[in-house]
């Protein structure tokens, strides 16, 4: 959700760049949702842009419900949520696109991309694409 704290994240996402938190006290890079530094506990965080490259450390498959009124035999929707260790260090979660859980291995290389909702339907959100 966009607010004064998250606006820089969404502004970067709109420009196709991934932003993470950066501790102004010790320089450690932290996940976008971090509220304080995990190393030195400082709450003074700024934003830093990262490459968006990383490797998969874990994933979960979320199973949806078949929409009411779907034709017989419609498969339930699934989404794969990957936890990615960015090349710069922080971990971030995002949906895996253009691949399934069968394509994943621990350490699979991924790169961030941005899912852009229709105009007025929300902010761009980071997703991940396998690098093959
Ligand atoms: Zn720190």
């Amino acid at each position: 959700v966009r607010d004064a704290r998250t606006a820089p994240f969404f502004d970067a996402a709109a420009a196709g760049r991934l932003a993470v938190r950066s501790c102004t006290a010790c320089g450690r890079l932290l996940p976008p949702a971090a509220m304080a530094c995990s190393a030195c506990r400082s709450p003074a965080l700024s934003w830093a842009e990262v490459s968006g490259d990383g490797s998969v450390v874990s994933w979960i498959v979320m199973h949806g419900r078949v929409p009411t009124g779907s034709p017989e035999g419609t498969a339930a929707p699934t989404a794969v949520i990957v936890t990615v260790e960015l090349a710069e260090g922080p971990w971030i979660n995002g949906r895996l696109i253009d691949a399934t859980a069968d394509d994943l291995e621990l350490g699979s290389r991924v790169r961030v991309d941005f899912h852009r909702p229709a105009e007025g339907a929300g902010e761009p959100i980071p997703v991940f694409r396998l690098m093959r």
Side-chain angles (χ1 to χ4, degrees), residues 4-6 8-9 19-48 90:
R5 195 180 69 82
T6 59
F9 176 82
V20 297
R21 301 317 300 260
S22 168
C23 175
T24 59
C26 76
R28 173 168 300 214
L29 296 179
L30 305 157
M35 302 294 283
C37 179
S38 58
C40 73
R41 304 287 159 201
S42 167
L45 307 180
S46 62
W47 291 93

Side-chain angles (χ1 to χ4, degrees), residues 25-100:
C26 76
R28 173 168 300 214
L29 296 179
L30 305 157
M35 302 294 283
C37 179
S38 58
C40 73
R41 304 287 159 201
S42 167
L45 307 180
S46 62
W47 291 93
E49 285 180 8
V50 292
S51 65
D53 290 348
S55 58
V56 172
V57 292
S58 70
W59 63 90
I60 58 168
V61 179
M62 299 184 58
H63 295 270
R65 198 169 127 288
V66 177
T68 306
S70 298
E72 190 84 9
T74 300
T78 60
V80 181
I81 309 297
V82 288
T83 299
V84 173
E85 181 177 347
L86 296 171
E88 293 83 359
W91 290 21
I92 182 173
N93 296 321
R95 195 160 62 86
L96 181 73
I97 59 169
D98 296 341
T100 70

